Each structure stands twice: as C-alpha cells, then as structure tokens.
Amino acid sequence: MTQVQLLNVNINNVAMSELLEKLQSGGLVVTPNVDHLMKLQRDRDFYGVYQDAEYRVCDSKILMYVSHFLGTPIQEKISGSDLFPAFYAHYRNDERIKIFLLGAQEGIAETARRNINSKVGRNMIIDTYSPPFGFEKDEQECQKIIDLINSSDATVLAIGVGAPKQEMWVAKHRKSLHKVKIFLAIGATINFEAGNIKRSPKWMSEVGLEWLYRLLSEPKRLWKRYLMDSIPFIYLVCKQRFQLYRNPWSKAKRSQTNNILSVVRGLKKM
C-alpha cells in the first residue's frame, strides 16, 4: 500500500474498497484532515498515536487538492462519515462483526444504533455508551467503559468523541479491549447516523466545501479550527512544496532544539 506524505503524516493512498477488505485483519483507522495536521505540529503525543495507527486515510478534499499541488496525488477521500456506513454495509452479513458505539450525547448513540441495525437487518451494533465530559481523565470511568466493551463481545469499536481525544483513548486502552480487533475513529459520524446533525450536500463535499457547511452550522465551536488554522497550514504546505518543511518531532529537529536549549542554559549560568 503506497503512502503520500503531507507535512509529518504518511497517508495511505488507498481506495475505500481495498481498505474495507484489509480491515478484516484489524487495526486502527485514523482520518487526517487539516485540523488533525495542524494538531500534529503541536502535539507530540498525538503524533505518536498517528505513527502507530495501522491506517491513515484522507478525510478531506482539501488534502486531496494539496496532494496534487505537491505532485503526489491521493486517489480517494475516505472520511469517517463515509467509511463507517461503507463498513457496516460491507460486513452486514458477517456475524463476526459486532460494533460498539462510543460517543455522542445521551440517547444519540442509541438512536444511531436503531437506525443502523434497521438498515443492515441484524443486531450489528450490539451496545452503545455516551461518556461524560472529561471521561478520558477519569481512570474509574475509563475502566467502566473498558468493562462495558469487553462484556458486550464487540469486535469493532467505533469511537466518536473528537480528535485527538478519540485516537489517544484508543491508543492508551486498546490492549485492554481483548475482543476488539478493529478501531474506527469517526468523529461526528454517530450524530450523522442518528440524524440529529445533517451532513453537507453531496456537491459541497465533492468540491471541498464540507468544512464551510459545518462552519456555518456550528460557527461558535468551529470558527477557530477552520479559519485560524488555514493560514499556517497553507504556509507549511508551501514550505513542503519547496522542500523547506521539517517535521517538528524528527530526531534532527529535536537535536537542533536541544542544542539551542543547551546554549540558552549556558548563557543563563554566565
């Protein structure tokens, strides 16, 4: 499976059909978009999770345009909100696939569960849980979630609690989820499946304007993500285009930073 480098992420250049087949072997799927890429410049722990994920697929038409600009085109956009329905449709007759939905507000995941099970014609979504705010910092709550998932016999965890929280929670606890083989970080997808949040019109998604639709739908929550990060993102992409970009977490970059810090400490002692 070929990869395309966008800043400090190697994105799998894979078609949806190929990814669905490969997921039979298990693994964590993360879906990089512009917001994720900017977080990966600032958050070393998040970067480490991305490095360990088995699949990193393009969640943004904007990133597809950028890949063409860089001369290494990505063949298909695979957002979490497209991947999840494709996944449960693909495996609807595979009784081994049992999905636990983790995320969304109280009652929404249950609505999504009923909707999906009705579509596939079986009890594919076997349980759900809507965690309280700040659950990821509460060890007792995390253990409760682990116990719920393990007792459900789920083989797939679809988690939608926002990035980087969802990816980092999976990375920290996946070894404790003994029966789960497939991990899907799907963001707002549970809300889409429940029908309480509408996706953008298909034409907006196809031309790369889904971000604008979401911004207009939730301006207070999303304005900083979509507007404040856009200028530095464009700047970094231009640096990569002219081979000037450096991964902030690379060994060479860390060594350079450590050298600078050593000099600063030496000056302070003088």
Side-chain angles (χ1 to χ4, degrees):
M1 187 165 34
T2 61
Q3 297 185 335
V4 172
Q5 183 181 353
L6 292 184
L7 302 185
N8 56 349
V9 178
N10 288 319
I11 296 177
N12 299 120
N13 198 3
V14 61
M16 178 79 81
S17 57
E18 182 183 356
L19 176 63
L20 292 172
E21 287 298 320
K22 286 183 174 295
L23 281 174
Q24 293 185 66
S25 301
L28 166 61
V29 182
V30 296
T31 56
N33 53 31
V34 173
D35 176 57
H36 288 206
L37 282 170
M38 294 309 298
K39 283 182 169 67
L40 289 164
Q41 310 310 305
R42 303 184 293 263
D43 190 330
R44 185 174 177 179
D45 292 335
F46 190 33
Y47 174 75
V49 171
Y50 250 71
Q51 293 299 104
D52 292 336
E54 285 80 5
Y55 302 101
R56 298 172 292 274
V57 296
C58 178
D59 184 20
S60 167
K61 198 74 173 183
I62 301 298
L63 295 191
M64 290 192 69
Y65 293 148
V66 167
S67 71
H68 281 267
F69 173 70
L70 295 173
T72 52
I74 293 171
Q75 62 176 304
E76 187 174 350
K77 177 175 82 75
I78 306 177
S79 64
S81 49
D82 289 326
L83 172 61
F84 189 53
F87 177 85
Y88 64 66
H90 184 81
Y91 288 102
R92 66 190 306 161
N93 296 320
D94 189 336
E95 296 290 338
R96 296 171 299 176
I97 299 298
K98 304 172 185 178
I99 304 172
F100 191 104
L101 287 186
L102 177 62
Q105 295 180 352
E106 190 70 34
I108 292 174
E110 274 299 312
T111 301
R113 174 187 185 178
R114 291 193 296 270
N115 291 346
I116 294 167
N117 287 345
S118 177
K119 290 178 187 176
V120 300
R122 71 177 178 94
N123 191 34
M124 189 180 209
I125 310 295
I126 57 173
D127 207 350
T128 71
Y129 184 67
S130 300
F133 181 78
F135 76 95
E136 74 282 3
K137 300 175 184 177
D138 185 333
E139 288 302 319
Q140 287 187 332
E141 180 66 22
C142 288
Q143 187 58 53
K144 173 184 174 181
I145 295 169
I146 290 167
D147 292 342
L148 283 172
I149 296 171
N150 284 336
S151 63
S152 73
D153 288 329
T155 58
V156 179
L157 173 62
I159 178 170
V161 295
K165 188 187 301 184
Q166 58 194 15
E167 293 85 0
M168 295 179 73
W169 194 89
V170 169
K172 183 177 180 180
H173 298 290
R174 64 185 294 183
K175 290 183 179 179
S176 299
L177 301 172
H178 307 302
K179 300 173 185 177
V180 178
K181 303 300 181 186
I182 302 170
F183 301 85
L184 307 175
I186 58 174
T189 304
I190 297 173
N191 290 282
F192 296 147
E193 292 291 336
N196 68 307
I197 295 179
K198 292 183 179 180
R199 291 195 65 184
S200 67
K202 188 175 181 180
W203 71 266
M204 293 188 79
S205 178
E206 289 177 348
V207 300
L209 290 176
E210 187 167 6
W211 66 271
L212 178 60
Y213 180 87
R214 292 199 64 195
L215 175 60
L216 294 174
S217 301
E218 301 179 83
K220 290 184 178 180
R221 188 174 74 87
L222 298 175
W223 74 271
K224 185 176 180 181
R225 177 197 299 184
Y226 289 132
L227 299 181
M228 297 298 288
D229 281 346
S230 59
I231 294 175
F233 174 70
I234 293 169
Y235 171 70
L236 291 174
V237 167
C238 289
K239 287 186 72 173
Q240 182 175 342
R241 178 68 176 80
F242 296 103
Q243 301 181 356
L244 298 173
Y245 171 78
R246 297 292 181 270
N247 182 353
W249 312 118
S250 67
K251 291 181 180 179
K253 189 72 173 180
R254 291 200 300 270
S255 177
Q256 182 184 39
T257 302
N258 290 336
N259 289 338
I260 293 171
L261 290 173
S262 297
V263 171
V264 170
R265 293 190 190 103
L267 290 172
K268 286 181 178 180
K269 292 178 180 179
M270 292 178 64

mmCIF file of all heavy atoms in Angstrom, residues 28 100-103 135 157-162 165-167 169-170 183-187 190:
data_model
loop_
_atom_site.group_PDB
_atom_site.id
_atom_site.type_symbol
_atom_site.label_atom_id
_atom_site.label_comp_id
_atom_site.label_asym_id
_atom_site.label_seq_id
_atom_site.Cartn_x
_atom_site.Cartn_y
_atom_site.Cartn_z
ATOM 1 N N LEU A 28 -6.258 0.083 13.687
ATOM 2 C CA LEU A 28 -6.831 1.390 14.000
ATOM 3 C C LEU A 28 -6.829 2.255 12.747
ATOM 4 O O LEU A 28 -5.793 2.405 12.095
ATOM 5 C CB LEU A 28 -6.012 2.072 15.098
ATOM 6 C CG LEU A 28 -6.257 3.572 15.340
ATOM 7 C CD1 LEU A 28 -7.704 3.839 15.749
ATOM 8 C CD2 LEU A 28 -5.277 4.108 16.384
ATOM 9 N N PHE A 100 -19.436 -1.761 18.812
ATOM 10 C CA PHE A 100 -19.771 -0.956 19.984
ATOM 11 C C PHE A 100 -19.597 0.508 19.597
ATOM 12 O O PHE A 100 -18.535 0.906 19.109
ATOM 13 C CB PHE A 100 -18.844 -1.297 21.150
ATOM 14 C CG PHE A 100 -19.277 -0.700 22.476
ATOM 15 C CD1 PHE A 100 -19.877 -1.493 23.444
ATOM 16 C CD2 PHE A 100 -19.082 0.649 22.760
ATOM 17 C CE1 PHE A 100 -20.271 -0.956 24.670
ATOM 18 C CE2 PHE A 100 -19.476 1.195 23.972
ATOM 19 C CZ PHE A 100 -20.072 0.396 24.929
ATOM 20 N N LEU A 101 -20.635 1.326 19.810
ATOM 21 C CA LEU A 101 -20.565 2.757 19.534
ATOM 22 C C LEU A 101 -20.242 3.509 20.817
ATOM 23 O O LEU A 101 -20.984 3.402 21.807
ATOM 24 C CB LEU A 101 -21.893 3.281 18.987
ATOM 25 C CG LEU A 101 -22.307 2.926 17.560
ATOM 26 C CD1 LEU A 101 -23.585 3.686 17.202
ATOM 27 C CD2 LEU A 101 -21.209 3.260 16.567
ATOM 28 N N LEU A 102 -19.153 4.268 20.806
ATOM 29 C CA LEU A 102 -18.756 5.058 21.964
ATOM 30 C C LEU A 102 -18.695 6.528 21.562
ATOM 31 O O LEU A 102 -17.880 6.911 20.720
ATOM 32 C CB LEU A 102 -17.391 4.594 22.476
ATOM 33 C CG LEU A 102 -16.792 5.368 23.656
ATOM 34 C CD1 LEU A 102 -17.685 5.257 24.895
ATOM 35 C CD2 LEU A 102 -15.379 4.859 23.972
ATOM 36 N N GLY A 103 -19.591 7.344 22.163
ATOM 37 C CA GLY A 103 -19.567 8.771 21.864
ATOM 38 C C GLY A 103 -20.953 9.366 21.738
ATOM 39 O O GLY A 103 -21.962 8.689 21.940
ATOM 40 N N PHE A 135 -14.215 12.324 30.522
ATOM 41 C CA PHE A 135 -14.106 10.903 30.886
ATOM 42 C C PHE A 135 -12.694 10.372 30.709
ATOM 43 O O PHE A 135 -12.255 9.482 31.458
ATOM 44 C CB PHE A 135 -15.078 10.063 30.047
ATOM 45 C CG PHE A 135 -14.623 9.826 28.630
ATOM 46 C CD1 PHE A 135 -13.942 8.669 28.285
ATOM 47 C CD2 PHE A 135 -14.849 10.778 27.641
ATOM 48 C CE1 PHE A 135 -13.518 8.451 26.986
ATOM 49 C CE2 PHE A 135 -14.422 10.574 26.341
ATOM 50 C CZ PHE A 135 -13.758 9.404 26.009
ATOM 51 N N LEU A 157 -14.751 -1.338 17.641
ATOM 52 C CA LEU A 157 -15.079 -0.141 18.411
ATOM 53 C C LEU A 157 -15.103 1.052 17.458
ATOM 54 O O LEU A 157 -14.101 1.365 16.817
ATOM 55 C CB LEU A 157 -14.046 0.117 19.504
ATOM 56 C CG LEU A 157 -14.214 1.449 20.273
ATOM 57 C CD1 LEU A 157 -15.548 1.480 21.007
ATOM 58 C CD2 LEU A 157 -13.049 1.693 21.230
ATOM 59 N N ALA A 158 -16.266 1.698 17.357
ATOM 60 C CA ALA A 158 -16.393 2.942 16.596
ATOM 61 C C ALA A 158 -16.521 4.063 17.617
ATOM 62 O O ALA A 158 -17.527 4.136 18.343
ATOM 63 C CB ALA A 158 -17.615 2.898 15.680
ATOM 64 N N ILE A 159 -15.521 4.922 17.692
ATOM 65 C CA ILE A 159 -15.468 5.947 18.728
ATOM 66 C C ILE A 159 -15.548 7.330 18.105
ATOM 67 O O ILE A 159 -14.786 7.649 17.180
ATOM 68 C CB ILE A 159 -14.195 5.793 19.607
ATOM 69 C CG1 ILE A 159 -14.111 6.903 20.658
ATOM 70 C CG2 ILE A 159 -12.929 5.725 18.766
ATOM 71 C CD1 ILE A 159 -13.029 6.690 21.703
ATOM 72 N N GLY A 160 -16.463 8.129 18.608
ATOM 73 C CA GLY A 160 -16.658 9.476 18.083
ATOM 74 C C GLY A 160 -16.748 10.495 19.196
ATOM 75 O O GLY A 160 -17.843 10.912 19.577
ATOM 76 N N VAL A 161 -15.588 10.864 19.750
ATOM 77 C CA VAL A 161 -15.551 11.851 20.837
ATOM 78 C C VAL A 161 -14.641 13.027 20.498
ATOM 79 O O VAL A 161 -14.305 13.815 21.377
ATOM 80 C CB VAL A 161 -15.116 11.194 22.173
ATOM 81 C CG1 VAL A 161 -16.142 10.176 22.641
ATOM 82 C CG2 VAL A 161 -13.742 10.550 22.045
ATOM 83 N N GLY A 162 -14.267 13.151 19.219
ATOM 84 C CA GLY A 162 -13.440 14.271 18.790
ATOM 85 C C GLY A 162 -11.956 13.981 18.857
ATOM 86 O O GLY A 162 -11.497 13.180 19.676
ATOM 87 N N LYS A 165 -8.795 13.360 21.206
ATOM 88 C CA LYS A 165 -9.240 12.549 22.342
ATOM 89 C C LYS A 165 -9.513 11.111 21.935
ATOM 90 O O LYS A 165 -9.083 10.161 22.615
ATOM 91 C CB LYS A 165 -10.485 13.173 22.955
ATOM 92 C CG LYS A 165 -10.947 12.538 24.256
ATOM 93 C CD LYS A 165 -12.290 13.105 24.705
ATOM 94 C CE LYS A 165 -12.229 14.607 24.905
ATOM 95 N NZ LYS A 165 -13.516 15.126 25.436
ATOM 96 N N GLN A 166 -10.254 10.916 20.832
ATOM 97 C CA GLN A 166 -10.667 9.566 20.458
ATOM 98 C C GLN A 166 -9.475 8.691 20.077
ATOM 99 O O GLN A 166 -9.375 7.529 20.484
ATOM 100 C CB GLN A 166 -11.690 9.611 19.326
ATOM 101 C CG GLN A 166 -11.212 10.302 18.078
ATOM 102 C CD GLN A 166 -12.333 10.633 17.099
ATOM 103 O OE1 GLN A 166 -13.507 10.598 17.421
ATOM 104 N NE2 GLN A 166 -11.948 10.978 15.876
ATOM 105 N N GLU A 167 -8.561 9.245 19.314
ATOM 106 C CA GLU A 167 -7.392 8.483 18.884
ATOM 107 C C GLU A 167 -6.484 8.138 20.071
ATOM 108 O O GLU A 167 -5.956 7.018 20.179
ATOM 109 C CB GLU A 167 -6.597 9.264 17.838
ATOM 110 C CG GLU A 167 -7.311 9.451 16.508
ATOM 111 C CD GLU A 167 -8.242 10.658 16.487
ATOM 112 O OE1 GLU A 167 -8.347 11.367 17.524
ATOM 113 O OE2 GLU A 167 -8.860 10.913 15.445
ATOM 114 N N TRP A 169 -7.375 7.939 23.251
ATOM 115 C CA TRP A 169 -8.019 6.982 24.157
ATOM 116 C C TRP A 169 -7.838 5.562 23.643
ATOM 117 O O TRP A 169 -7.514 4.649 24.413
ATOM 118 C CB TRP A 169 -9.508 7.305 24.311
ATOM 119 C CG TRP A 169 -10.132 6.583 25.465
ATOM 120 C CD1 TRP A 169 -10.209 7.018 26.761
ATOM 121 C CD2 TRP A 169 -10.730 5.277 25.435
ATOM 122 N NE1 TRP A 169 -10.825 6.065 27.542
ATOM 123 C CE2 TRP A 169 -11.156 4.986 26.769
ATOM 124 C CE3 TRP A 169 -10.948 4.339 24.438
ATOM 125 C CZ2 TRP A 169 -11.780 3.789 27.095
ATOM 126 C CZ3 TRP A 169 -11.566 3.139 24.768
ATOM 127 C CH2 TRP A 169 -11.976 2.867 26.082
ATOM 128 N N VAL A 170 -8.033 5.379 22.369
ATOM 129 C CA VAL A 170 -7.844 4.045 21.783
ATOM 130 C C VAL A 170 -6.402 3.581 21.962
ATOM 131 O O VAL A 170 -6.159 2.435 22.374
ATOM 132 C CB VAL A 170 -8.227 4.041 20.288
ATOM 133 C CG1 VAL A 170 -7.767 2.742 19.624
ATOM 134 C CG2 VAL A 170 -9.722 4.207 20.117
ATOM 135 N N PHE A 183 -10.614 -0.742 15.133
ATOM 136 C CA PHE A 183 -10.892 0.510 15.826
ATOM 137 C C PHE A 183 -11.088 1.613 14.789
ATOM 138 O O PHE A 183 -10.195 1.878 13.974
ATOM 139 C CB PHE A 183 -9.728 0.881 16.750
ATOM 140 C CG PHE A 183 -9.430 -0.154 17.803
ATOM 141 C CD1 PHE A 183 -8.603 -1.233 17.512
ATOM 142 C CD2 PHE A 183 -9.969 -0.052 19.073
ATOM 143 C CE1 PHE A 183 -8.322 -2.200 18.478
ATOM 144 C CE2 PHE A 183 -9.691 -1.009 20.041
ATOM 145 C CZ PHE A 183 -8.868 -2.087 19.752
ATOM 146 N N LEU A 184 -12.259 2.247 14.816
ATOM 147 C CA LEU A 184 -12.593 3.290 13.856
ATOM 148 C C LEU A 184 -12.794 4.602 14.598
ATOM 149 O O LEU A 184 -13.720 4.728 15.405
ATOM 150 C CB LEU A 184 -13.864 2.925 13.081
ATOM 151 C CG LEU A 184 -13.895 1.551 12.396
ATOM 152 C CD1 LEU A 184 -15.274 1.311 11.780
ATOM 153 C CD2 LEU A 184 -12.809 1.449 11.337
ATOM 154 N N ALA A 185 -11.918 5.579 14.343
ATOM 155 C CA ALA A 185 -12.061 6.916 14.936
ATOM 156 C C ALA A 185 -12.905 7.742 13.972
ATOM 157 O O ALA A 185 -12.436 8.132 12.901
ATOM 158 C CB ALA A 185 -10.685 7.540 15.153
ATOM 159 N N ILE A 186 -14.170 8.017 14.350
ATOM 160 C CA ILE A 186 -15.131 8.512 13.358
ATOM 161 C C ILE A 186 -15.738 9.876 13.676
ATOM 162 O O ILE A 186 -16.684 10.305 13.010
ATOM 163 C CB ILE A 186 -16.263 7.478 13.141
ATOM 164 C CG1 ILE A 186 -16.990 7.163 14.457
ATOM 165 C CG2 ILE A 186 -15.703 6.199 12.515
ATOM 166 C CD1 ILE A 186 -18.211 6.273 14.292
ATOM 167 N N GLY A 187 -15.228 10.592 14.682
ATOM 168 C CA GLY A 187 -15.656 11.962 14.917
ATOM 169 C C GLY A 187 -17.156 12.118 15.085
ATOM 170 O O GLY A 187 -17.793 11.456 15.902
ATOM 171 N N ILE A 190 -21.419 9.501 14.505
ATOM 172 C CA ILE A 190 -22.542 8.956 15.278
ATOM 173 C C ILE A 190 -23.733 9.908 15.213
ATOM 174 O O ILE A 190 -24.883 9.486 15.068
ATOM 175 C CB ILE A 190 -22.126 8.697 16.740
ATOM 176 C CG1 ILE A 190 -21.018 7.638 16.783
ATOM 177 C CG2 ILE A 190 -23.321 8.230 17.569
ATOM 178 C CD1 ILE A 190 -20.416 7.423 18.165
#
